[in-house]
Amino acid sequence: MSQETVTMTDNRTGKTIVCPILTGTHGPPVVDCHGLYSELGMFTFDPAYVTTASCESTITFVDGENGILLYRGYPIDQLAEKSSYLEVCYLLLYGELPTTEQMDHFTANIHQHTLLNEGLQRFYNGFRHSAHPMSMLVGVVGALSSYYYDAMDIQNPEHRNRSALRLIAKLPTIAANSYNYLMGHPYVYPRNDLGYVENLMQMMFAVPTQPYEFNETAIKALEVVLILHADHEQNASTSTIRLAGSSQAHPFSCVAGGIATLWGPAHGGANEAVIRMLQQIEHPKNIPDYIARFKDKKSNLRLMGFGHRVYKNYDPRAKIIREICHQLLKELDAQQQPLFEIAMELERIALSDEYFIERKLYPNVDFYSGIILRTLGIPLNMFTVIFAVARTVGWVSQWMEMMNEPQLRIARPRQLYTGAAERDYVPMAER
Ligand code: SDX
């Protein structure tokens, strides 16, 4: 079959460029227009990269129109139902589901790195007790390279793998420490006899005065939340990782940047913002007034947990999380019922409102995830921290994929300059 192409002609000069069309396994094809500047002397213009494919990847596929999410080809609902978070980590990192032997070896490797250097434990003392835990995560993860510098050669695949494992292994410990520091509780060390999620829960909630009681329903719910948040192709925080990594920065620094990006309420901070919004609404009778404000541009209010750059249909993760909410509230803690009732009524009204329908605004993963985390006793300001723990494997998998490219080049977008034309300096006395 002849090469499929798109032809662009500059009607000012009649010059033409023929751009190859590249087709992937799933999803829309792309136009390879990297020759545009050399041939026509022009850049593409796509603020916020709404229609830009920034890279080629084999890790995660998102079909926004049909609400499909695949990790290495496996549908998210199958992984949520049948897999474990650590098995999904292996899948995202290495591309295939592990055999029993591979999983045992991978788990043993993770266990080697769950502890934090005691010097890093003292790092938290520099934060105010009112600090947001995401600020601690950015700081402590960024400081990892000052302690773990035995694998800093990012050209060395073994070093890259060890740093990736360290991040996956240590994020739960770093997250739990930030929680305990804020609560004034003693730090709880990781236990390698426990599963990944059990360990995270006991590091956050165990107290030295009595044995920690695990709740299987809670553990399973958090396991699914972590799986659903593990990766999501080239979202804002992952794009930060790739941009930082393209300069050959160490993955600890790249992930610190990803955490900072995730913190924004338009991105990973939305789960916290959803709960604050539901609390502000307070009762289903107030929903119509809030819906009007969400639609009013002047209000600067948005329906948090709704809308998505890619999903123009129901976010498949939201469907799974909504179901878990139902199960959890039945089995664990009906106290959350009012918030969940408001959330469901808000969803029902929004999904029947023309404003949201014509803009294809549906609930995204954050709309219900906060209710689950709150039901598990996780405080509001820790929600995005849990998201960061989950997404660390996605960040390091995408970083490793990029670092394995034969021709790694620094990412350096251009611009459309509309500032002042060239002009000469004027001495202050003459201005
Ligand atoms: C995540 O990218 C990822 O994959 C992210 C993520 C991941 O796993 O990494 O999925 C995780 O970040 C989920 C998104 C969480 N954020 C929120 O829930 C915050 C609320 N949602 C939005 O702010 C918004 O929907 C975004 C940021 C998610 C998407 O923004 P876009 O694609 O840039 O859409 P837009 O701002 O251009 O909006 C299009 C229209 C606008 O109206 P018009 O100018 O056309 O009249 O829809 C309106 C917007 O005003 N709109 C909303 C809205 N979201 C969009 N109006 C009210 N409430 C909203 N939530």
Side-chain angles (χ1 to χ4, degrees):
M1 180 172 68
S2 66
Q3 167 73 50
E4 297 173 318
T5 60
V6 164
T7 302
M8 282 192 254
T9 301
D10 179 349
N11 64 8
R12 301 169 303 169
T13 63
K15 271 193 165 184
T16 290
I17 176 174
V18 178
C19 303
I21 295 175
L22 309 177
T23 305
T25 316
H26 295 308
V30 299
V31 179
D32 177 354
C33 51
H34 74 271
L36 193 62
Y37 182 57
S38 54
E39 304 277 329
L40 298 187
M42 284 191 269
F43 301 137
T44 59
F45 186 62
D46 184 22
Y49 309 126
V50 176
T51 55
T52 290
S54 61
C55 64
E56 180 178 338
S57 181
T58 61
I59 299 174
T60 294
F61 173 68
V62 178
D63 177 340
E65 296 311 320
N66 299 301
I68 292 170
L69 170 57
L70 309 176
Y71 289 167
R72 299 285 190 180
Y74 294 97
I76 191 65
D77 55 324
Q78 292 182 29
L79 292 170
E81 185 192 340
K82 299 170 181 165
S83 188
S84 69
Y85 176 72
L86 216 43
E87 183 180 63
V88 165
C89 286
Y90 186 99
L91 173 67
L92 289 170
L93 276 170
Y94 306 119
E96 297 297 336
L97 288 170
T99 61
T100 306
E101 187 186 354
Q102 289 168 330
M103 193 63 208
D104 292 346
H105 181 65
F106 179 68
T107 305
N109 279 341
I110 290 289
H111 285 164
Q112 274 181 19
H113 300 295
T114 49
L115 269 174
L116 263 193
N117 183 296
E118 289 292 312
L120 264 175
Q121 303 270 64
R122 290 192 289 275
F123 214 78
Y124 292 85
N125 298 340
F127 291 97
R128 291 167 64 103
H129 279 283
S130 56
H132 195 291
M134 284 297 278
S135 64
M136 298 180 188
L137 234 62
V138 171
V140 175
V141 170
L144 285 173
S145 45
S146 61
Y147 284 85
Y148 304 100
Y149 38 72
D150 61 336
M152 295 298 281
D153 174 7
I154 58 170
Q155 303 309 329
N156 177 334
E158 197 288 318
H159 283 201
R160 293 204 293 265
N161 191 57
R162 199 184 320 163
S163 293
L165 296 181
R166 274 186 165 133
L167 283 160
I168 295 166
K170 292 184 193 304
L171 254 290
T173 312
I174 294 170
N177 284 353
S178 61
Y179 170 75
N180 285 313
Y181 178 74
L182 291 176
M183 300 297 284
H185 293 172
Y187 296 128
V188 179
Y189 285 100
R191 281 178 47 190
N192 289 339
D193 60 317
L194 296 176
Y196 193 89
V197 176
E198 288 87 341
N199 186 35
L200 172 59
M201 295 284 273
Q202 72 91 18
M203 286 194 288
M204 283 183 68
F205 299 123
V207 286
T209 49
Q210 61 202 47
Y212 178 67
E213 282 184 34
F214 294 98
N215 177 298
E216 285 315 309
T217 305
I219 298 293
K220 178 59 186 162
L222 187 53
E223 185 101 46
V224 173
V225 168
L226 295 185
I227 289 173
L228 296 180
H229 286 78
D231 193 46
H232 211 241
E233 62 147 80
Q234 306 313 317
N235 60 85
S237 51
T238 299
S239 299
T240 300
I241 301 288
R242 282 183 174 262
L243 195 72
S246 74
S247 76
Q248 303 191 29
H250 191 273
F252 297 150
S253 312
C254 298
V255 169
I259 293 169
T261 304
L262 187 74
W263 193 1
H267 189 14
N271 51 20
E272 180 179 342
V274 165
I275 296 296
R276 295 189 194 285
M277 171 189 72
L278 294 175
Q279 289 172 328
Q280 204 179 355
I281 291 172
E282 207 178 8
H283 190 281
K285 71 179 180 355
N286 301 325
I287 289 176
D289 171 52
Y290 273 90
I291 290 278
R293 292 164 69 182
F294 295 143
K295 291 161 36 175
D296 174 9
K297 297 284 186 281
K298 293 191 293 297
S299 76
N300 273 332
L301 270 183
R302 282 200 162 181
L303 171 47
M304 300 314 279
F306 254 67
H308 198 279
R309 172 61 57 75
V310 178
Y311 288 124
K312 299 309 172 191
N313 195 320
Y314 214 100
D315 181 336
R317 302 168 298 178
K319 274 190 187 139
I320 297 166
I321 274 204
R322 189 173 188 271
E323 191 41 49
I324 291 181
C325 261
H326 269 299
Q327 293 163 13
L328 204 58
L329 290 174
K330 260 193 266 165
E331 295 177 34
L332 268 194
D333 172 356
Q335 303 313 316
Q336 294 296 318
Q337 209 68 31
L339 283 190
F340 189 61
E341 297 296 342
I342 296 172
M344 287 202 295
E345 181 59 8
L346 187 53
E347 178 191 53
R348 186 189 67 77
I349 295 175
L351 291 182
S352 58
D353 183 297
E354 207 37 54
Y355 172 92
F356 295 94
I357 293 169
E358 69 187 37
R359 290 170 179 80
K360 297 185 176 182
L361 301 176
Y362 291 87
N364 59 50
V365 67
D366 294 301
F367 190 64
Y368 287 104
S369 58
I371 296 176
I372 291 182
L373 297 177
R374 199 161 180 271
T375 306
L376 298 180
I378 294 169
L380 215 40
N381 62 4
M382 285 292 291
F383 287 8
T384 311
V385 170
I386 299 297
F387 193 155
V389 169
R391 186 52 59 88
T392 293
V393 64
W395 290 332
V396 295
S397 299
Q398 300 265 352
W399 172 77
M400 279 174 72
E401 180 178 66
M402 181 183 72
M403 294 307 291
N404 289 333
E405 283 165 13
Q407 294 299 328
L408 175 63
R409 300 182 68 192
I410 189 164
R412 204 280 187 216
R414 302 304 302 272
Q415 62 175 11
L416 173 66
Y417 176 70
T418 55
E422 186 174 357
R423 52 184 170 168
D424 295 326
Y425 182 82
V426 177
M428 195 176 287
E430 296 170 23
R431 290 174 200 159

